[in-house]
C-alpha cells in the first residue's frame, strides 16, 4: 500500500514553497502519495490550521503522515516535533498547531526532531518545511521509527482556548472557524452539554 | 492500470472539505489517483460547473469516475445519482450539473444512490460529498456495478437553456462561461450553424 | 519508479485548462505522477514563472519532466521547444521562461517540437498546453528520445535582465519576485559578490 503524506501550510498556491516540499518528499520516497489539505491558511493563523487538521485528519488511512507548516517561529529556538498517535504521524513546529488533532486521536509519543541525518544537508533559516519537515515526513513514510528523530518531549506546546468550558448546562466557547459557505464553528463538541435528549 | 477519480466542487481551496473527500476515497481504494478538476466554482453555480465538466471530462482515460459536488439542495429530498455513460461514470446530486457532459458522452444508465452499504456509516445532513459521493466513487473505481447503488432513474433533472436555438441561420444562445483570460463562451456548438463553408 | 511531470502555468485554479492537460497526460502515461508547481502565475508574467521554476525544479527526482505554459505568443509563429538538461527535461514555449532553470542545471540539447505524431490529432490555436505540451511531456516521461521531436535549436530565446551586473563590489539587479509573506527577491546570487567573508 502506497504511503500517504498530507501537507497543510500557510504558503499559498502561488509560490515555489509547496512544490519544493513535494519534490523533496518524492526524491526520498518515490512511492509516496502526497495530498494537499490546504495551503490557504491565512499567514501564521495557527487556530485555523489546527481546526482544519482536526476536521480532516481522521478520514485518511491508518499510517498517514500529516505535515503542518504554520511556523511564525521559524528561525527562533522553537522546537520541531513529530508525534506518533494511535493511527497517524504528525510533523511540524512545536507551537500547538498539531495538538488538537493529535490529542483527538490519542498521543503515544512526542519526539523533538534533532537528528541531522533525516534533514537536508543545508538548512535554510526560513524554510524548514523543505529542509526539515518534508524529509522527516518522507523518512517516516518509509518506516523510520520515530524514536530515531530525537529526544522525547514531555511538554509539547498546547493551544489555549479551543476547548469550551461547560457549567450548569452553559457552554462558553468562541468561534474558531468560519467556512467557505459562511458557517461558523465553535469549540463546543458533541457531548459537552451532556448526552442528547 | 490505476483507476482515476476526478473531483469538481464549489468547496474552495481553503477548507477541510476537499481533503476529507480524498481521505475517504483513499481509505476505500488506496490505488485511486485523484485529480482536481477545480474547487473554485462560485458557490452553487451549477452552470459554470456543468460547463467546466463538459470541457474537461473527455480528456481522461476510459473508466474515469467524475465526481461533482455543487449541491445547493443538500439536506433536502433531491436525489443523489450515478450515471454510466459510454466511457465514464458520473456521480453527484440530481440537479442537472452532470447532464451536459453525460449526454455528450452518451448515457447508458442512470441510478439513484440509495444503498446505505456504499455510504459512510454516519451521514451528515450537509456534507454528502464526504459521506455519500466520495465512497460511491471509490466503490465504482473498484469495479462496483452501478446497478447495485439503487433503482433506475428515468427522469434525471436537466439544465434548461444551455443549448442554443438555431433558426434561419441565427443561433440564439447566452454566455455560459467566462474564462481566466476573459474569453466568453456561448452555448453555440460546432455544427449548430451548419457545416463549415 | 513512477515518472514525474510537473506543471507550471498562468491558467489559474478555476478553469478546465489544467485538468484537461492532466487528463491528456494520464491517457498517454497512466503511471505518470503529476505535481502542480503553481497555476497562479499572473497572466503572461514570464519573469515570475521563470523564477518560480528556477526556485523549485532542482528538488525533484532526476528525470522529472517540467512543463511550463506561460504563452502570450500562442497562435503566433513562436516555437515550441523541449530541453534536455543534465538531470531534467523542460517543455514549453520558446519565450525564455524555461531558460533560467535549464541553464542553471546545464543544457545538453534544445529541440523544436515539430513532429505531429507526438501531439494531439487536432490542435487548437489557443490551447497548446493541452494539445502539444501535455502529450510531448507524456511521451518524454515514457522514454521518448528528445531528438525525435524536431530539429535542434541553437538560439533559444533568453530573458533579459534577470542576472545581476557586478562591478567594484556593487551588484546591480532588480526585484524579480515578491513572495507570499512579502519577502522581495533580487537577481543577485550567492557568489556574485565574492565568497562569503
Amino acid at each position: 500500500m502506497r504511503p500517504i503524506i498530507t501537507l497543510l501550510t500557510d504558503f499559498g498556491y502561488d509560490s515555489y514553497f509547496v512544490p519544493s516540499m513535494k519534490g523533496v518528499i518524492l526524491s526520498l520516497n518515490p512511492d509516496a502519495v502526497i495530498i494537499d489539505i490546504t495551503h490557504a491558511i491565512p499567514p501564521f493563523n495557527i487556530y485555523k490550521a489546527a481546526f482544519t487538521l482536526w476536521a480532516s485528519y481522521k478520514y485518511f488511512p491508518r499510517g498517514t503522515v500529516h505535515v503542518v507548516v504554520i511556523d511564525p517561529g521559524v528561525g527562533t529556538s522553537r522546537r520541531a516535533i513529530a508525534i506518533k498517535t494511535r493511527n497517524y504521524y504528525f510533523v511540524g513546529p512545536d507551537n500547538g498547531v498539531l495538538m488538537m488533532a493529535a490529542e483527538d486521536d490519542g498521543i503515544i509519543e512526542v519526539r523533538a526532531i534533532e537528528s541531522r541525518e533525516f534533514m537536508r544537508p543545508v538548512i535554510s533559516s526560513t524554510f524548514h518545511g523543505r529542509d526539515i519537515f518534508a524529509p522527516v515526513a518522507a523518512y517516516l513514510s518509509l518506516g523510520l521509527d520515530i524514536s530515531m528523530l530525537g529526544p522525547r518531549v514531555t511538554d509539547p506546546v498546547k493551544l489555549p482556548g479551543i476547548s469550551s468550558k461547560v457549567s450548569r448546562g452553559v457552554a462558553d466557547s468562541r468561534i474558531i472557524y468560519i467556512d467557505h459557505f459562511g458557517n461558523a464553528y465553535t469549540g463546543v463538541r458533541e457531548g459537552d452539554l451532556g448526552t442528547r435528549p
Side-chain angles (χ1 to χ4, degrees), chain A residues 152-168:
Chain A
R152 197 181 293 268
V153 170
T154 56
D155 58 346
V157 175
K158 297 189 185 189
L159 282 188
I162 274 195
S163 303
S164 64
K165 280 182 249 173
V166 182
S167 65
R168 299 193 201 180

Side-chain angles (χ1 to χ4, degrees), chain A residues 92-105:
Chain A
D94 180 28
N95 60 20
V97 73
L98 306 172
M99 292 297 283
M100 187 177 171
E103 293 193 306
D104 186 59
D105 195 48

Side-chain angles (χ1 to χ4, degrees), chain A residues 14-171:
Chain A
D14 59 346
S15 79
Y16 65 88
F17 302 135
V18 172
S20 298
M21 290 181 66
K22 293 181 180 177
V24 167
I25 289 169
L26 292 170
S27 294
L28 290 168
N29 186 356
D31 289 327
V33 173
I34 304 172
I35 300 288
D36 299 307
I37 301 291
T38 179
H39 303 292
I41 299 292
F44 307 148
N45 191 330
I46 292 176
Y47 276 88
K48 189 155 195 174
F51 177 84
T52 303
L53 179 66
W54 170 82
S56 56
Y57 83 93
K58 65 171 88 59
Y59 299 104
F60 285 86
R62 190 179 166 90
T64 294
V65 180
H66 296 292
V67 181
V68 182
V69 193
I70 315 290
D71 198 9
V74 67
T76 71
S77 62
R78 71 99 184 88
R79 293 179 295 201
I81 57 172
I83 307 177
K84 181 178 183 172
T85 65
R86 287 194 308 163
N87 299 291
Y88 301 102
Y89 294 94
F90 295 89
V91 175
D94 180 28
N95 60 20
V97 73
L98 306 172
M99 292 297 283
M100 187 177 171
E103 293 193 306
D104 186 59
D105 195 48
I107 293 175
I108 292 176
E109 192 175 357
V110 184
R111 292 277 175 171
I113 299 171
E114 295 187 0
S115 297
R116 293 291 295 241
E117 64 188 304
F118 306 114
M119 305 177 188
R120 283 176 42 82
V122 177
I123 296 170
S124 149
S125 60
T126 57
F127 195 1
H128 290 187
R130 178 190 62 201
D131 298 336
I132 297 178
F133 299 124
V136 163
Y139 284 114
L140 288 173
S141 78
L142 287 164
L144 180 74
D145 192 288
I146 193 175
S147 67
M148 301 293 288
L149 292 172
R152 197 181 293 268
V153 170
T154 56
D155 58 346
V157 175
K158 297 189 185 189
L159 282 188
I162 274 195
S163 303
S164 64
K165 280 182 249 173
V166 182
S167 65
R168 299 193 201 180
V170 174

